[in-house]
């Protein structure tokens, strides 16, 4: 129900209340808009509050004067009214410090943002949505596609969205989506959060149809931006709303894409990608937070798998493959081509399968069970990879972002499953990390400790190879933060438990590299920057370095630079001799508390509390 509900005038005819109170709006209930207290709040005894007006309080004379000065080319700065209210101004993109100009349209307050030679029109809450600049000419939309779309390619390709937006009938549906895209584009270009753009998103959401499937995309994107800017509670609300709407619309069925995409194959592909990206991001949240559950894991999806990125961008969409075909690919006599997106979905699926067979409270006897059962899913994904999918970087030096994420998921899943049974001890200070979980209690060393340790070490080496790929900038989804962090924490443990001499020196270089990679992400996403500081604190304690603390076992750093794994500089188990000392040995307690990737729990529980203050 729209919160801008109807009331009745003296003639008995229904009229629209221009503004509902905040309690009615939050419940999507009818509100008659009476002040100081609406009828519904008066009946329920609830405090009735209204959002503060943003119309600026300008009279006709002030509006006329503003139009005259605008025509004269002056910069407009609306004067605040007596209550101190003022117009919201959009934060400027730092690379384009052109003047901000505000102009009223149809006597309604709105904003024009000039960036270089481009003018964008943004309406304020309570007004009609007006867009004065094309998508192609919008620098914030361009920044979104350049910096973010490749990491999460589920929106329409830019050319296709531009074409569809030219249809006036489609513009109201796409307007809130463009608002969220601009916020993310602003984050990448200005490296800061914009409350003005955030407020504009809220205004667009209020005017949008709540059942429009585009709102699944809007809320999913907004949730990611909020979360990595440390607005965790708001991110949860948006993710819950996106998931609930997608499930209510039955986006997971193949009929949805067919009916909502109609005769547009690119739009049908877009809807398929939207469901699968929701599935992936839901899993990423599960792994990052550790106590949030994978809500859509048990939904039987019949929606087909996405195609290749080049096919999507070109608009030449092939007949889509099904999830059943992917899961039975080992029985095919002839090789079947699946997209990188499909292999990423498969990696998430395998991680979930491994989690489902791993015990929540691990014991010494569970060691063999993890080796025999949990590893099958992860190894099956690796072994069935075609040769071209094993190479994350192509001959032109371009990284396949989706395969990069897929390999990281398999690696962090392996680390999380095996480290509790390995010789890589947990240190209580790891609890400082918002990506780690509280180490479990110590228990006796399992018989297969060497197998588990080798598994973890090889997964760390695989991560290092990915991070050391020769690219000008570490540019990936912020959700790689906790995947990389889990491997770094395990590598820190190896530095104090297993490695000596040149192997220790090389591992220290690799830790520097991983922190450097995370720092690049942290320049854009504050939550990642916080995680870097946490790992630095952990490393200083575990290694006994920094803050005036010395470590006699540390060897000088090698001058050869970070190792990409393999060869003389990689982690080497040849010198590893397992210790028989059970004191402070690797812990075998609760896997779900150890690593977020193994914390599905009861799917009906949607708690996001972390328990460690993150």
């Amino acid at each position: 129900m729209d919160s801008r509900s109807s009331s009745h005038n003296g003639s008995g005819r229904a009229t629209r209340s221009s503004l509902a109170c905040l309690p009615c709006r939050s419940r999507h209930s009818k509100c008659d808009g009476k002040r100081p207290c609406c009828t519904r709040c008066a009946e329920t005894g609830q405090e009735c509050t209204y959002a503060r007006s943003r119309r600026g309080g300008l009279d006709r004379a002030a509006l006329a004067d503003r139009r005259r000065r605008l025509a004269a080319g002056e910069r407009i700065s609306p004067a605040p009214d007596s209550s101190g209210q003022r117009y919201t101004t959009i934060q400027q993109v730092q690379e384009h410090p052109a003047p901000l100009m505000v102009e009223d349209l149809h006597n309604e307050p709105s904003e024009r943002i000039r960036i270089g030679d481009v003018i964008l029109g943004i309406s304020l809450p309570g007004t009609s949505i007006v867009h004065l600049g094309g998508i192609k000419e919008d620098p914030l939309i361009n920044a979104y596609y350049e910096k973010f779309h490749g990491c999460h390619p589920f929106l329409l390709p830019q050319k296709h969205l531009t074409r569809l937006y030219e249809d006036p009938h489609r513009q109201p549906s796409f307007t809130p989506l463009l608002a969220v895209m601009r916020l993310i584009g602003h984050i990448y270009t200005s490296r800061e959060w914009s409350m003005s753009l955030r407020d504009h998103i809220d205004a667009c959401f209020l005017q949008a149809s709540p059942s429009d499937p585009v709102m699944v995309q809007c809320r999913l994107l907004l949730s990611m931006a909020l979360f990595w800017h440390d607005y965790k509670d708001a991110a949860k609300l948006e993710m819950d709303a996106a998931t609930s709407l997608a499930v209510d619309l039955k986006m997971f069925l193949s009929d949805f894409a067919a009916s909502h995409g109609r005769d547009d194959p690119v739009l049908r592909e877009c809807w398929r990608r939207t469901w699968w990206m929701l599935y992936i991001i839901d899993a990423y949240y599960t792994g990052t937070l550790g106590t949030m559950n994978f809500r859509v894991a048990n939904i039987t999806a019949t929606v087909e798998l996405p195609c290749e990125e080049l096919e999507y961008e070109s608009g030449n969409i092939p007949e889509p493959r099904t999830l059943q075909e992917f899961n039975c690919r080992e029985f095919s006599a002839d090789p079947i081509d699946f997209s990188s997106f499909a292999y990423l979905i498969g990696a998430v699926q395998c991680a979930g399968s491994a989690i489902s067979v791993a015990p929540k409270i691990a014991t010494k006897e569970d060691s063999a069970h993890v080796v025999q059962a949990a590893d099958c899913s992860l190894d099956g994904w690796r072994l069935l990879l075609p040769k071209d999918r094993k190479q994350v970087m192509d001959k032109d030096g371009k990284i396949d972002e989706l395969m990069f994420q897929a390999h990281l998921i398999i690696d962090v899943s392996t680390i999380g499953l095996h480290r509790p049974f390995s010789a890589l001890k947990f240190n209580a200070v790891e609890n400082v990390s918002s990506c780690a979980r509280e180490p479990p209690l110590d228990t006796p060393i399992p018989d297969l400790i060497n197998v588990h340790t080798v598994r973890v070490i090889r997964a760390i080496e695989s991560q290092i190879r990915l991070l050391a790929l020769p690219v000008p900038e570490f540019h990936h989804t912020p959700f790689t933060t906790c995947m990389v962090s889990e491997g770094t924490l395990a590598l820190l443990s190896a530095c104090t438990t297993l490695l000596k001499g040149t192997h220790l020196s090389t591992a220290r270089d690799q830790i520097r590299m991983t922190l450097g990679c995370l720092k690049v992400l942290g320049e854009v996403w504050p939550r990642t920057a916080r995680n870097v500081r946490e790992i630095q604190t952990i490393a200083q304690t575990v290694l006994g370095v920094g803050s005036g603390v010395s470590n006699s076992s540390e060897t000088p750093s090698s001058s050869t630079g970070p190792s990409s794994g393999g060869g003389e500089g990689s982690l080497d188990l040849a010198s590893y001799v397992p210790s028989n000392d059970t004191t402070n040995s690797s812990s075998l307690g609760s896997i779900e508390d150890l690593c977020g990737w193994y914390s599905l729990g009861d799917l009906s529980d949607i708690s996001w509390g972390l328990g460690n203050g993150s």
Side-chain angles (χ1 to χ4, degrees):
M1 180 69 67
D2 194 328
S3 59
R4 297 167 297 178
S5 53
S6 59
S7 58
H8 294 272
N9 56 22
S11 63
R13 295 171 56 187
T15 60
R16 301 282 290 183
S17 173
S18 61
L19 181 66
C21 70
L22 295 179
C24 290
R25 182 184 300 178
S26 65
R27 296 191 300 265
H28 300 285
S29 302
K30 289 184 177 181
C31 181
D32 56 16
K34 289 184 178 179
R35 295 174 184 257
C37 183
C38 74
T39 302
R40 183 176 293 275
C41 287
E43 292 174 350
T44 60
Q46 186 169 0
E47 182 181 1
C48 186
T49 57
Y50 289 84
R52 190 175 69 176
S53 172
R54 293 181 182 156
R55 292 180 176 257
L58 299 182
D59 55 20
R60 290 182 179 274
L63 287 171
D65 180 64
R66 186 177 67 179
R67 283 194 293 271
R68 284 194 298 271
R69 286 187 287 123
L70 180 64
E74 298 180 8
R75 179 171 176 167
I76 306 301
S77 299
D81 63 11
S82 58
S83 65
Q85 298 172 355
R86 59 180 176 79
Y87 282 106
T88 302
T89 59
I90 301 296
Q91 299 177 21
Q92 296 301 294
V93 177
Q94 295 174 352
E95 289 79 1
H96 305 277
L100 176 87
M101 303 189 71
V102 181
E103 177 186 3
D104 70 294
L105 299 175
H106 310 297
N107 292 327
E108 291 285 359
S110 64
E111 291 180 326
R112 275 189 173 185
I113 306 131
R114 180 187 295 277
I115 303 177
D117 296 329
V118 179
I119 297 178
L120 306 177
I122 303 292
S123 75
L124 294 177
T127 71
S128 58
I129 299 295
V130 182
H131 178 66
L132 303 179
I135 294 177
K136 288 170 55 178
E137 295 80 19
D138 189 328
L140 299 184
I141 298 296
N142 290 336
Y144 170 87
Y145 276 104
E146 179 184 353
K147 300 291 187 180
F148 195 79
H149 179 72
C151 300
H152 312 92
F154 68 103
L155 298 189
L156 285 167
Q158 188 170 8
K159 291 181 180 179
H160 203 79
L161 178 61
T162 301
R163 183 174 63 81
L164 292 184
Y165 191 72
E166 292 173 354
D167 182 355
H169 295 94
R170 293 182 181 268
Q171 289 186 11
S173 181
F174 286 125
T175 295
L177 181 62
L178 293 176
V180 183
M181 295 167 70
R182 287 191 182 103
L183 173 64
I184 295 176
H186 174 84
I187 289 171
Y188 275 99
T189 55
S190 298
R191 305 296 173 92
E192 62 183 6
W193 186 262
S194 169
M195 291 305 301
S196 299
L197 289 174
R198 174 71 173 96
D199 290 343
H200 175 58
I201 290 171
D202 287 341
C204 292
F205 280 17
L206 286 174
Q207 298 184 42
S209 170
S211 60
D212 190 332
V214 174
M215 292 305 297
V216 175
Q217 299 177 326
C218 295
R219 295 191 182 278
L220 180 58
L221 281 176
L222 180 57
S223 176
M224 289 187 269
L226 287 166
F227 182 79
W228 291 103
H229 263 266
D230 258 338
Y231 298 108
K232 190 181 69 174
D233 293 338
K236 177 189 182 302
L237 292 175
E238 295 299 335
M239 186 63 186
D240 285 349
T243 302
S244 297
L245 179 56
V247 172
D248 290 344
L249 293 173
K250 294 182 170 55
M251 262 189 176
F252 51 87
L253 300 180
S254 59
D255 291 344
F256 179 87
S259 61
H260 286 76
R262 298 172 184 170
D263 58 347
D264 188 338
V266 178
L267 188 56
R268 291 199 297 269
E269 171 71 8
C270 177
W271 292 131
R272 290 192 288 268
R273 286 168 171 255
T274 299
W275 169 259
W276 286 120
M277 188 55 65
L278 179 75
Y279 173 86
I280 291 167
I281 298 303
D282 196 13
Y284 284 177
Y285 275 133
T286 299
T288 300
L289 289 171
T291 53
M292 177 187 175
N293 296 303
F294 196 175
R295 296 181 59 193
V296 300
N298 289 343
I299 293 179
T300 302
T302 61
V303 58
E304 293 87 352
L305 297 173
C307 64
E308 285 290 0
E309 300 312 301
L310 289 177
E311 295 169 334
Y312 187 42
E313 291 294 327
S314 68
N316 298 319
I317 311 297
E319 187 69 22
R321 299 288 186 182
T322 66
L323 184 62
Q324 182 180 9
E325 287 179 304
F326 183 84
N327 289 335
C328 295
R329 64 194 183 282
E330 69 270 26
F331 303 121
S332 175
D334 299 320
I336 300 178
D337 291 331
F338 292 98
S339 67
S340 298
F341 208 139
Y343 278 104
L344 174 56
I345 295 167
V348 172
Q349 192 178 49
C350 288
S353 177
I355 295 167
S356 66
V357 299
K360 290 185 180 181
I361 306 298
T363 64
K364 179 178 180 179
E365 290 72 23
D366 292 319
S367 168
H369 176 70
V370 169
V371 172
Q372 295 169 2
D375 273 343
C376 292
S377 295
L378 305 177
D379 285 347
W381 185 89
R382 291 190 188 98
L383 293 171
L384 290 176
L385 275 180
K387 284 186 176 181
D388 59 334
R389 297 298 173 188
K390 295 179 181 179
Q391 298 294 329
V392 177
M393 175 177 282
D394 65 17
K395 61 182 180 180
D396 297 324
K398 183 179 179 181
I399 288 182
D400 186 329
E401 171 63 25
L402 300 184
M403 288 305 299
F404 181 91
Q405 294 179 36
H407 282 283
L408 275 184
I409 290 171
I410 296 298
D411 291 337
V412 74
S413 300
T414 302
I415 293 169
L417 280 171
H418 287 280
R419 192 182 169 195
F421 304 99
S422 74
L424 302 180
K425 304 172 185 178
F426 287 90
N427 192 304
V429 75
E430 290 185 28
N431 193 45
V432 170
S433 174
S434 55
C435 286
R437 304 297 163 246
E438 184 176 345
L441 299 175
D442 292 333
T443 55
I445 294 177
D447 296 333
L448 299 176
I449 182 173
N450 293 348
V451 174
H452 296 293
T453 303
V454 171
R455 286 278 192 180
V456 176
I457 292 294
R458 287 181 177 172
I460 296 172
E461 288 181 325
S462 178
Q463 273 201 357
I464 295 297
R465 284 193 292 270
L466 289 171
L467 302 181
L469 289 171
V471 292
E473 180 184 18
F474 187 80
H475 175 69
H476 301 286
T477 171
F479 285 101
T480 60
T481 298
C482 284
M483 302 185 207
V484 174
S485 298
E486 288 289 340
T488 304
L489 293 177
L491 184 55
L492 280 169
S493 178
C495 287
T496 59
T497 307
L498 304 180
L499 305 177
K500 297 179 181 180
T502 58
H503 301 299
L504 174 58
S505 179
T506 299
R508 289 290 309 280
D509 283 342
Q510 292 168 340
I511 290 171
R512 293 184 184 97
M513 181 189 66
T514 60
L515 285 173
C517 291
L518 291 177
K519 279 186 174 182
V520 174
L521 287 180
E523 293 174 0
V524 180
W525 304 108
R527 188 180 177 93
T528 301
R530 173 161 65 92
N531 188 67
V532 170
R533 295 190 296 270
E534 294 164 352
I535 294 179
Q536 289 172 331
T537 299
I538 295 169
Q540 287 178 356
T541 302
V542 172
L543 299 176
V545 297
S547 302
V549 180
S550 62
N551 183 2
S552 59
S553 64
E554 180 188 355
T555 59
S557 172
S558 67
S559 60
T560 57
S563 169
S564 61
E568 183 179 356
S570 65
L571 295 178
D572 186 5
L573 295 176
S575 60
Y576 163 56
V577 179
S579 171
N580 291 324
D581 181 14
T582 60
T583 305
N584 294 325
S585 65
S586 174
S587 310
L588 299 181
S590 169
I591 287 182
E592 68 174 339
D593 288 337
L594 270 185
C595 173
W597 296 95
Y598 311 97
S599 174
L600 296 188
D602 183 0
L603 288 174
S604 63
D605 179 16
I606 317 175
S607 170
W608 273 37
L610 289 183
N612 62 354
S614 62

